[in-house]
Amino acid sequence: MNRNRIKRICASFIILILLLSLMTGCISHAEAYHDKSFFAMDTIITIRVFGDRSAKKAMNKAIDRIKEIEKHMSSTYKDSDVFKINKAAGVEPVKVNDDTFYVIKKALEYGQLSDGALDITVRPIVELWGITSDNPRVPSKEEIDEKLALVDYRKVVLDEENKTVFLEEKGMGIDLGAIAKGYAADEAVRILREAGVKNALLNLGGNVITIGGNPDGRPWRIGIQDPRSHETGEPHFAIVGIADATVVSSGDYERYIEEVYEKTGERYHHIFDPKTGYPADKGLIASTIISSSSIDADALSTILFIMGYEEGFKLIEKLDNVEAIAVTANKEVYITEGLKGSLIQSNDNYRIMD
Amino acid sequence: MIMDKFMKPKIGDLFIYLFIVVLIGLSLLGLRTMSIDRSNTVVQIELDGKVIDSYEISQEGEIEAQEIRVDTGQGEYNIVRISSEGVSVIDANCPDKLCVGSPTIKVPGQSIVCIPHKFVVRIIGKSQGDNAVDDTAS
């Protein structure tokens, strides 16, 4: 065989290999990712994982896990633990799944820490107002007082050994809405990490959870919802850069009785103060928690919103690795020490205070 | 000498050259698709996690306003309005009407959701500028 011909074939193959590597280089530069949006836990959930097929497999496993948690903790599914606990209130203890037991236990710990600002037994009040139902209304003071008598997290009895939950009085009810999404997020993150996923971005109905940073090497840039987006026309008022952390916000802007608001300007929103039976009114319109655990962030953002800036910050500054943002009705933004210098203001309708 | 050999290619060589040309073409095509993904903004409508419609919009200049009625097939609907001001849901027959009350969305990454109808309208594209974000906590 002609030696030159062999050389030529070799040269051609080298070019071919170069071209192939150019193509794959191009693809990996675009950062291959898999994502999925689905409806669960009364909200929309989006998961985006970066990586190959094993990352996609892990994503699907995480989705199944979230749906499993929903099945136990939804208050509308007839065979969920929460439904059974509420039905057996004042009658008998109910044996529950380990997940449910853990979440309720954690919620009660937060009830104690916040001196009842976070109270999962606030359900009778939530139902009375019906903010999330078709017919929300402002109840009378008498009606509220009557239901308030049923609100007390200390009347939830846990039996660690038999994994049972008992509500001491008939008419009591629990709702894990303020904390279950946080737990589901932590579980999803655990599954993804165990499968070796290095970068991921999850959003559970507005709760943002991240693994690693952005694959481009920078932290994830997460906007904090502008609570008065309707007035300002801006999507967010601040941006925070995070990696391996979660950002959870609460506020009066998500759900409120619109008819009353239009008539009187009074915003009866969906976050109730378990002590008064009225929507929380300690001067805040939005609160945000940044931390590593999503169940903690979920609980603490509600607690901060209900307690208000002064009391809430006193509590949060005692905790490790938890940062917070509080927005007052006159658009002043208070932030914890750890965020000073790193929070980026993204619209000038708000004033970040020192 | 090499030039001389190139003048008289053998049939096997021709196949290889053809293959290389096709490869170059393919990789150029790949580059082109990727650059499109980066520069264009798309309004995407989803029902129950599936994309049912998408509208490419330009980020500069005026957009002709259009209203899109989205039916779920079970008598439920949401009406989306796309215009220069942004994207909003202007009517729906869901019980809570949260989607109709949602602020107008304008930049990639934003979305309006109607949970009862499992409906989402979102803006997709590369978010640009100082205020670009990967996601928003709400």
Side-chain angles (χ1 to χ4, degrees), chain A residues 276-329:
Chain A
T276 64
Y278 283 87
D281 185 19
K282 292 279 168 59
L284 296 188
I285 59 173
S287 63
T288 296
I289 298 290
I290 300 150
S291 81
S292 55
S293 143
S294 208
I295 192 169
D296 291 347
D298 214 359
L300 287 167
S301 72
T302 308
I303 289 172
L304 173 57
F305 189 84
I306 292 172
M307 289 180 103
Y309 158 60
E310 278 175 27
E311 292 292 308
F313 266 42
K314 249 185 244 166
L315 188 151
I316 285 157
E317 295 205 314
K318 277 187 271 180
L319 306 172
D320 287 333
N321 303 317
V322 178
E323 302 300 337
I325 305 170
V327 185
T328 65

Side-chain angles (χ1 to χ4, degrees), chain A residues 8 26 37 221 223 225 230 235 346, chain B residues 13 34 101 130 132 134-135 137:
Chain A
R8 239 180 297 138
C26 171
S37 274
R221 283 169 63 89
Q225 166 86 41
H230 274 296
S346 61
Chain B
D13 296 356
M34 265 181 283
D130 290 344
D134 295 306
D135 205 346

